[in-house]
Amino acid sequence: MLKVQMRSMLVTSLRDKITLFYSLLLPIVLMFGLAIFFDNPEQQLHIICGVTAISTVFWGMQGIAFQVHWQRSRGVYKLLMLTPMPLMQFIAVMIVARTVIGVAMNWSIWLIGMLSFGMKLTAWSIGLTQLIIMIGTICFTSIGFVIANAARNEAQINMLSNLLQMPMIFMSSAFYSLDGAPAWVAFIGKLLPFEHYTNLISTMQSAGSSISILSLIVLVLYIMIAILIASITFRWDTNQLMLKSSTA
Amino acid sequence: MYIEAKGLVKQYGKRMILNNIDVSIQAHEIIAIIGPNGAGKSTMLEMLIGLQKPSSGTIWHWDTAYKGKIGVQLQAVPFFPGLSAMENLLLFASFYKKSISKEEAMKCLRICGIHDAAHTEAAKLSGGQQKRLAIAVAIIHEPTLLFLDEPTAALDPRNRQDIHNLMLELQQQGKTIVFTSHDMDEVHQLATRVLVIDQGKIIAAGEPAELCNKYDAASLTQLYMKLTREDECYA
């Protein structure tokens, strides 16, 4: 049974062409565009890691938010409530499937970038990058679930995603140094998960570097908080919180 | 008896959606729930299947594990994007913890008259085909009780007739069916019992012919006009 569900979730995610465009094609184009423009190897490495991180955010946050909203509005969760299968099991299968694809996709983006621009690859960086991408995907997917619960429609998903993504990306050192930025910008950036995620991907590219435990803790904390909020605010019906004003 | 509800009340704030509803569902019936938009039909249906809790009143089900034994077709079509009709059916079967082969799934699609489109993406099926697939999803786990929420809404006469035939065939196979509809001809053709609901109350219940006699109506449409209000309810 789980095999059928996992396969179906993988297929439905892989056939979502729009999300694949934003999470795979666009980051690759962006990466090549930027990396060709900045021909400094150090800067190129920065760009590869930054683009990989952005792809994770798009796939994790917006991808899951739209998927959950769609399923909820079409009555999938209503039907699931009438089956012996626990709803949370279905959601767990969905997250695992999306994480598997997310890791494969983002790791491919990173690998394409590293190989194309002649970056040094080590077994350490190849393996650890996969692990960090997995943690990042789970983190942003969990936040995407919170967005899906808070939003009432597709427009609100876009709005809320942008509200979170834009400050996360612009207040991070993914593409440029924040050394010259006001202190409060760097401070807020460090409170957000994206900065720590890009930090983890970037630092592990240097030989002999150790993982930033603080960044890892921040991501895990975000995962725990987001899952907690998502489970508290989860709605299986679009009108669940609006029942007081709904029609019969 | 499959379900017995007594004194069902559903209230949102001061707004009364259902007001003291008593209803029972017996085996092998085809029950039609009719009434104006917003009268409380879908709310009642969702309460009977356990999707909504009543503000007061009791609902008795014949089996404590009844949820896996009922089939439901909702108004919205809950198919997964990117998956074919067959893939959707296999996925929904897995939700009922039922492992079925592709041949069994195809048999179910054939019963519902949609086997030709088995490998077409569900989202690309026509309205009639999607309704049939929704019914296939509702019967894939061989339920004893079926709830169909406006199964023929927005369908052309041929598709409508096909679904009528399917419903009658399912009844002959021993299934009990509860459906909502705005089509009085359909109700007359299919229902063994009709519940007329308006402003959250059951205002009439019985066999179609019996109701027409009782209220001196030439048809169910005339009966509907006589019993229900002119304005729609936005309860």
Side-chain angles (χ1 to χ4, degrees):
Chain A
M1 251 77 83
L2 263 179
K3 198 178 149 192
V4 173
Q5 289 164 15
M6 182 61 78
R7 186 189 166 278
S8 302
M9 289 303 108
L10 287 171
V11 169
T12 193
S13 294
L14 281 171
R15 289 182 189 162
D16 179 0
K17 293 183 185 73
I18 295 173
T19 311
L20 284 178
F21 170 79
Y22 277 103
S23 307
L24 189 64
L25 198 63
L26 188 69
I28 289 174
V29 172
L30 181 72
M31 180 169 68
F32 278 97
L34 288 173
I36 288 166
F37 187 72
F38 297 100
D39 58 358
N40 172 349
E42 198 181 322
Q43 190 67 31
Q44 284 177 337
L45 180 65
H46 220 51
I47 287 164
I48 293 165
C49 296
V51 168
T52 304
I54 281 191
S55 171
T56 311
V57 171
F58 281 152
W59 175 257
M61 280 171 72
Q62 263 154 316
I64 196 77
F66 277 113
Q67 204 166 12
V68 168
H69 174 77
W70 188 94
Q71 288 169 357
R72 184 187 288 136
S73 63
R74 291 297 181 99
V76 170
Y77 298 153
K78 263 188 179 182
L79 271 190
L80 273 166
M81 296 288 286
L82 297 168
T83 70
M85 178 159 160
L87 183 58
M88 287 304 148
Q89 185 185 321
F90 169 73
I91 287 169
V93 169
M94 196 162 66
I95 290 179
V96 170
R98 289 191 66 86
T99 302
V100 167
I101 299 171
V103 171
M105 237 165 37
N106 294 311
W107 185 72
S108 303
I109 292 171
W110 172 82
L111 197 64
I112 289 169
M114 298 293 275
L115 291 172
S116 303
F117 295 98
M119 301 294 165
K120 194 181 168 193
L121 287 168
T122 61
W124 166 259
S125 69
I126 289 172
L128 215 58
T129 302
Q130 273 185 339
L131 180 72
I132 297 302
I133 289 173
M134 190 181 81
I135 294 169
T137 307
I138 295 172
C139 176
F140 296 114
T141 302
S142 310
I143 297 172
F145 251 105
V146 176
I147 292 171
N149 293 347
R152 297 278 172 213
N153 49 48
E154 283 92 345
Q156 287 187 7
I157 289 175
N158 262 330
M159 196 180 71
L160 288 171
S161 301
N162 287 333
L163 202 68
L164 288 173
Q165 284 169 358
M166 292 307 153
M168 277 203 301
I169 293 167
F170 289 123
M171 291 184 182
S172 77
S173 51
F175 296 103
Y176 40 77
S177 168
L178 289 180
D179 290 347
W184 64 269
V185 171
F187 176 74
I188 293 175
K190 284 200 169 80
L191 292 178
L192 301 170
F194 187 77
E195 171 68 4
H196 294 278
Y197 180 51
T198 47
N199 179 40
L200 280 169
I201 298 183
S202 307
T203 51
M204 75 184 64
Q205 309 312 327
S206 327
S209 64
S210 56
I211 293 181
S212 162
I213 299 296
L214 174 70
S215 291
L216 208 56
I217 289 172
V218 170
L219 287 189
V220 172
L221 270 177
Y222 263 98
I223 291 173
M224 288 165 69
I225 292 168
I227 287 177
L228 182 72
I229 297 172
S231 56
I232 291 169
T233 58
F234 186 80
R235 296 176 286 127
W236 50 266
D237 182 10
T238 313
N239 295 321
Q240 203 173 327
L241 294 180
M242 299 189 288
L243 285 176
K244 284 183 179 174
S245 59
S246 73
T247 59
Chain B
M1 189 188 294
Y2 282 125
I3 297 178
E4 186 172 33
K6 281 185 178 168
L8 279 192
V9 172
K10 186 69 181 179
Q11 210 168 351
Y12 299 129
K14 288 180 181 173
R15 202 172 281 168
M16 187 71 84
I17 309 298
L18 290 181
N19 189 358
N20 201 25
I21 298 273
D22 291 336
V23 64
S24 65
I25 297 168
Q26 312 284 340
H28 310 306
E29 284 188 301
I30 298 188
I31 301 176
I33 305 173
I34 62 172
N37 292 327
K41 300 186 297 292
S42 294
T43 305
M44 187 168 102
L45 201 122
E46 289 194 356
M47 267 190 211
L48 293 177
I49 59 180
L51 275 177
Q52 286 199 43
K53 284 184 180 170
S55 304
S56 65
T58 57
I59 305 174
W60 173 87
H61 293 96
W62 82 106
D63 191 326
T64 46
Y66 73 93
K67 281 190 174 178
K69 294 172 184 171
I70 58 173
V72 180
Q73 172 254 313
L74 299 169
Q75 284 184 32
V77 281
F79 306 130
F80 288 83
L83 298 188
S84 68
M86 168 76 85
E87 288 168 332
N88 265 290
L89 199 55
L90 290 170
L91 178 59
F92 275 98
S94 77
F95 294 154
Y96 289 102
K97 299 191 187 296
K98 199 170 159 63
S99 181
I100 58 163
S101 65
K102 284 188 176 173
E103 288 71 32
E104 286 170 306
M106 188 58 98
K107 190 180 163 194
C108 181
L109 291 172
R110 190 169 287 118
I111 289 169
C112 297
I114 197 188
H115 54 287
D116 288 341
H119 301 292
T120 306
E121 191 184 332
K124 290 178 181 164
L125 296 173
S126 69
Q129 287 173 322
Q130 288 195 347
K131 287 277 184 188
R132 288 175 206 218
L133 180 57
I135 295 174
V137 163
I139 64 170
I140 188 65
H141 58 299
E142 295 172 4
T144 41
L145 184 53
L146 262 177
F147 287 86
L148 309 176
D149 201 356
E150 299 191 14
T152 59
L155 294 188
D156 63 54
R158 192 179 300 277
N159 272 307
R160 202 171 276 233
Q161 190 56 50
D162 287 346
I163 287 182
H164 293 169
N165 293 340
L166 175 60
M167 286 167 71
L168 290 170
E169 207 176 299
L170 291 169
Q171 189 212 19
Q172 280 167 10
Q173 286 172 14
K175 300 199 190 309
T176 301
I177 301 173
V178 181
F179 74 105
T180 64
S181 181
H182 287 297
D183 182 340
M184 294 305 118
D185 292 335
E186 171 178 287
V187 171
H188 188 81
Q189 188 186 337
L190 299 171
T192 54
R193 191 152 61 99
V194 179
L195 303 177
V196 187
I197 184 166
D198 195 14
Q199 289 184 302
K201 288 182 181 173
I202 293 179
I203 52 172
E207 291 174 19
E210 176 193 281
L211 279 180
C212 289
N213 282 338
K214 187 177 175 184
Y215 292 96
D216 195 24
S219 64
L220 275 179
T221 306
Q222 208 179 77
L223 174 89
Y224 180 92
M225 297 298 187
K226 271 189 175 182
L227 295 181
T228 58
R229 292 156 301 110
E230 281 182 18
D231 55 323
E232 285 188 356
C233 173
Y234 296 98

